[in-house]
Amino acid sequence: MINTYLPSIKHGNSNAFFLMAGPCAIEGEEIALRIADRIVNITDKLNIPYIFKGSYRKANRSKGSSFTGIGDEKALKILEKVGQTFGIPTVTDIHESDEAAMAAAYVDVLQIPAFLCRQTDLLVAAANTGKVVNIKKGQFLSAESMKFAVEKVQEAGNNSVILTDRGNTFGYQDLIVDYRGLPVMKSFNVPTVMDCTHSLQQPNQSSGVTGGKPELIETIAKAAIAVGADGLFIETHPDPANAKSDGANMLHLDHLEGLLTKLLRIREAVM
């Protein structure tokens, strides 16, 4: 489990899944701390190990005018402050090899975006930092093929790997989740996570703004826990409609505690 990789994480219920959650992008210090505080209170109450998620920069945007970030160093320092303030690990995306060492100075987990999961130099650079590496499965790849991404990190001398499923491309403007992939990826002896929000994206819309189906987040999460996911990835915000990135598929923060409570009951039933 993730606790093996991050000794600083709170050791909650050994039967619980762990949670990666937070805003899609770091929008500012106040909102990041407010979201983290709310989620820490919830996960402490429910005894769920928690990792704060926030992208310091969004590199994959449909339109050139879309929000990409508030500045790399500024956003990374906010992630660092979140981790220090609440005593929790943090995770952020990296996009190019030279970003690995930079981001690793501020966060505990480096995330490889799905579109970049085959980029050998990026995977090796992340591995070389010694940080935990969370690799998102490409929408265009089978679960079986992700063993090669895991091997690239491990062969670079880093065994701290997580795999995250975020759905598969279904036509031009939709994604679908194949839950057979979770046990397949678990067979590689790494923690396996379900991204419950990005898997509901509707990309490539004619407007240039990605759509989503947030009303199905609970469905995706329940099924993931039922088939044995070790962790869940959920982007959440107190005002998704006005979030600067991916608001169309984020969970409203007010709904997080109720959802996690239901999921713990499912986890208990299937353990």
Side-chain angles (χ1 to χ4, degrees):
M1 285 293 293
I2 188 68
N3 301 40
T4 304
Y5 300 149
L6 295 173
S8 62
I9 201 167
K10 297 172 183 176
H11 289 267
N13 177 2
S14 61
N15 292 326
F17 51 87
F18 64 91
L19 177 68
M20 295 186 192
C24 178
I26 296 299
E27 302 174 0
E29 182 176 306
E30 187 277 332
I31 185 68
L33 290 170
R34 179 152 55 98
I35 292 171
D37 181 61
R38 183 85 174 274
I39 302 176
V40 165
N41 285 330
I42 293 169
T43 52
D44 278 355
K45 177 181 177 181
L46 299 178
N47 214 18
I48 295 173
Y50 172 50
I51 304 168
F52 178 85
K53 183 270 167 185
S55 296
Y56 74 89
R57 172 158 42 92
K58 301 301 294 184
N60 178 24
R61 303 285 83 188
S62 295
K63 296 194 298 185
S65 59
S66 295
F67 174 81
T68 59
I70 60 174
D72 291 357
E73 185 176 11
K74 183 178 181 180
L76 286 167
K77 284 183 175 180
I78 290 171
L79 282 161
E80 181 180 49
K81 184 169 183 177
V82 168
Q84 293 174 345
T85 300
F86 299 102
I88 56 174
T90 55
V91 55
T92 198
D93 316 75
I94 58 171
H95 318 92
E96 297 184 25
S97 301
D98 59 4
E99 296 176 25
M102 175 183 70
Y106 298 92
V107 302
D108 304 283
V109 183
L110 298 179
Q111 183 166 283
I112 308 299
F115 282 122
L116 302 176
C117 68
R118 285 171 50 93
Q119 298 296 103
T120 302
D121 288 350
L122 180 61
L123 290 165
V124 171
N128 287 340
T129 67
K131 298 290 184 174
V132 179
V133 182
N134 179 33
I135 312 170
K136 285 199 166 182
K137 185 186 79 64
Q139 303 94 318
F140 47 88
L141 290 176
S142 68
E144 288 82 359
S145 65
M146 289 304 293
K147 68 179 179 181
F148 303 115
V150 172
E151 288 171 355
K152 288 177 183 179
V153 175
Q154 293 175 336
E155 288 168 1
N158 188 335
N159 290 316
S160 300
V161 186
I162 303 169
L163 288 179
T164 296
D165 194 340
R166 51 97 75 235
N168 304 291
T169 300
F170 188 69
Y172 291 115
Q173 296 177 319
D174 208 355
L175 297 168
I176 193 168
V177 177
D178 180 356
Y179 286 97
R180 296 174 299 179
L182 289 172
V184 167
M185 293 194 297
K186 280 173 70 74
S187 72
F188 307 148
N189 295 314
V190 298
T192 302
V193 175
M194 184 71 232
D195 183 339
C196 303
T197 45
H198 286 102
S199 60
L200 291 167
Q201 282 184 334
Q202 294 177 309
N204 306 317
Q205 300 298 307
S206 58
S207 65
V209 178
T210 296
K213 295 181 179 180
E215 67 275 11
L216 294 177
I217 292 171
E218 183 171 323
T219 301
I220 296 293
K222 284 178 174 178
I225 294 301
V227 300
D230 298 302
L232 296 177
F233 179 106
I234 298 175
E235 289 190 339
T236 183
H237 195 282
D239 185 11
N242 290 302
K244 294 183 181 295
S245 178
D246 280 3
N249 53 270
M250 277 202 278
L251 179 73
H252 197 292
L253 191 54
D254 288 346
H255 300 155
L256 182 62
E257 183 173 351
L259 173 59
L260 294 176
T261 301
K262 293 177 184 177
L263 297 175
L264 284 173
R265 292 200 294 267
I266 294 173
R267 180 72 165 188
E268 183 179 359
V270 300
M271 284 297 293

